[in-house]
Amino acid sequence: MTDGGPPLLSVENVGKTYRVRGSWFSHRTELSALQDVSFTLRRGETLGIVGESGCGKSTLARIVTSLTNPTEGVVRFEGEPLTGISTKALWRRRRDMQMIFQDPYSSLNPRMTVGEIVGEPLLNYGLASRYERREKVASLLERVGLRGEHMVKYPHEFSGGQRQRISIARALVLGPKLVVADEPVAALDVSVQAQVMNLMRDLQQDLGLACIFITHDLAMANFISNSIAVMYLGWIVEIAPADALFANPSHPYSRALLSARPSAHPSRRGSQPVPRGEPPNPINPPSGCRYRDRCRHAVELCVTQRPQLREAASGHFVACHRHDDLSLSLQKEISV
Ligand code: ADP
Ligand code: MG
């Protein structure tokens, strides 16, 4: 989809380093949570972000929605940077981007009614009279599969799936242009995950929302996304249209993620389908390619040089020194 203007969101060479306590002698040290992350998102499009726990997904989500500042690079929304602007300008901007968090138990204030929770952003932005607020909240609750009467109840009266529906209603109440959903179904029972996923996909399509959908499950990302970025230890190692990535995962890590999926059947799906071994410590990441010590294709070059994202096929970018060799050998495997 091309709409002429700048992309809705552009993330340019973003990095994030946290100052943390090191494991030895309590020295302060640096943890590189994100490095040189770039992508763009157009209006109405969904980008899936996939990777194991600790690879920087939530950090990226918080930077995109300006809850955290990057230590390097810049995020632009409709062409304008989100950093270095006045508090007021940022406050106005935040209306356009909303976040849905993983845990529907801790993200809803237990002392507020559902009506207050969903209507609060309208109140904060002074956007509606009391009556309009009620109307709006009631219709949104219906839209996410709850009922208007639920407005007077409290979060503890709802199941996990219903609570996530409340979070979704709250995220939509200001009519945002971008919704960032950080593993929104990971904390839910497998039986309700699909219902909430279906709801999110319907809403995204009906409202023409742009969405960043974070998950550790490549199949889930494929279900909802136009394109998918695979992250490993703070890097994007592959980014491509969703069907291309799913049909032809090209980075060894993406292939491992896909083949480690235990079953297409949701009830048998593991919570963390990952390649063997643990990801390295981001306080002291490997030189060269960060994936190299778990990669059976690694060669000397992978130890010395960081692989850059290169366009392997139209719109399909891969950061792997071995990509050409590996895709040749894969073709050979297929043709014999
Ligand atoms: P993910 O969401 O993919 O699990 P996170 O973005 O939460 O990853 O974390 C990325 C890395 O940054 C992890 O190593 C994590 O321990 C570290 N990290 C996240 N938030 C902080 C923080 N506020 N201070 C220090 N380290 C952090
Ligand atoms: Mg996270």
Side-chain angles (χ1 to χ4, degrees):
M1 188 166 65
T2 51
D3 53 19
L8 180 69
L9 177 78
S10 89
V11 172
E12 300 168 11
N13 311 104
V14 158
K16 179 73 179 180
T17 305
Y18 293 110
R19 300 280 301 161
V20 294
R21 204 177 283 277
S23 48
W24 293 338
F25 311 115
S26 300
H27 282 318
R28 303 289 281 179
T29 178
E30 292 192 335
L31 182 155
S32 161
L34 286 180
Q35 211 183 39
D36 203 16
V37 167
S38 298
F39 61 86
T40 59
L41 187 67
R42 299 215 155 259
R43 275 163 231 284
E45 287 193 345
T46 296
L47 171 72
I49 295 184
V50 183
E52 279 161 281
S53 176
C55 72
K57 303 181 297 296
S58 295
T59 300
L60 183 57
R62 295 174 63 81
I63 289 174
V64 162
T65 49
S66 79
L67 298 173
T68 309
N69 281 329
T71 37
E72 271 166 280
V74 59
V75 177
R76 290 177 205 280
F77 197 85
E78 295 180 318
E80 289 168 22
L82 289 180
T83 35
I85 60 173
S86 70
T87 319
K88 186 141 188 240
L90 187 59
W91 182 77
R92 276 200 302 266
R93 261 300 174 218
R94 286 220 174 103
R95 231 186 103 170
D96 294 330
M97 31 196 207
Q98 294 294 318
M99 194 150 159
I100 298 168
F101 296 92
Q102 172 172 349
D103 183 2
Y105 292 87
S106 64
S107 60
L108 303 177
N109 187 334
R111 281 176 292 277
M112 284 165 73
T113 65
V114 170
E116 287 165 346
I117 289 170
V118 176
E120 190 185 35
L122 289 172
L123 192 65
N124 288 345
Y125 279 86
L127 284 175
S129 69
R130 201 184 158 88
Y131 173 76
E132 288 165 337
R133 242 184 4 253
R134 277 182 60 94
E135 292 292 294
K136 175 103 191 169
V137 169
S139 79
L140 262 174
L141 288 176
E142 304 273 347
R143 184 63 192 84
V144 299
L146 297 169
R147 293 204 306 274
E149 308 93 88
H150 286 150
M151 236 187 298
V152 295
K153 297 191 171 209
Y154 287 86
H156 73 262
E157 298 176 73
F158 294 89
S159 68
Q162 288 173 321
R163 287 185 203 210
Q164 210 51 318
R165 289 173 193 269
I166 297 167
S167 308
I168 293 170
R170 181 187 159 93
L172 295 179
V173 75
L174 293 171
K177 296 172 182 169
L178 171 69
V179 169
V180 178
D182 189 359
E183 307 210 47
V185 301
L188 305 181
D189 287 347
V190 169
S191 57
V192 295
Q193 285 184 348
Q195 297 165 15
V196 176
M197 288 296 291
N198 282 324
L199 171 67
M200 289 208 55
R201 191 167 76 165
D202 290 350
L203 288 168
Q204 189 267 337
Q205 285 171 355
D206 293 354
L207 305 175
L209 282 172
C211 188
I212 293 181
F213 187 90
I214 293 174
T215 172
H216 52 253
D217 187 331
L218 205 45
M220 227 179 246
N222 189 39
F223 174 77
I224 202 163
S225 312
N226 303 102
S227 43
I228 296 178
V230 177
M231 286 188 65
Y232 186 79
L233 213 66
W235 288 1
I236 290 181
V237 295
E238 182 164 1
I239 182 164
D243 0 345
L245 196 138
F246 204 70
N248 184 23
S250 299
H251 193 281
Y253 178 62
S254 315
R255 287 187 196 166
L257 273 186
L258 196 66
S259 65
R261 261 190 341 119
S263 166
H265 195 275
S267 67
R268 270 172 282 156
R269 197 178 292 157
S271 62
Q272 283 281 13
V274 291
R276 263 206 297 226
E278 287 292 308
N281 186 344
I283 292 179
N284 188 17
S287 63
C289 175
R290 288 188 171 185
Y291 185 57
R292 66 166 161 86
D293 54 2
R294 288 169 90 188
C295 180
R296 62 192 174 93
H297 307 290
V299 293
E300 185 57 30
L301 183 62
C302 308
V303 179
T304 56
Q305 259 185 48
R306 174 179 178 166
Q308 302 293 328
L309 278 171
R310 285 185 304 128
E311 192 162 15
S314 176
H316 194 146
F317 293 82
V318 186
C320 176
H321 291 307
R322 302 290 319 277
H323 176 260
D324 292 342
D325 313 344
L326 296 177
S327 59
L328 283 179
S329 65
L330 196 73
Q331 276 167 15
K332 230 187 283 166
E333 277 169 36
I334 292 166
S335 61
V336 290

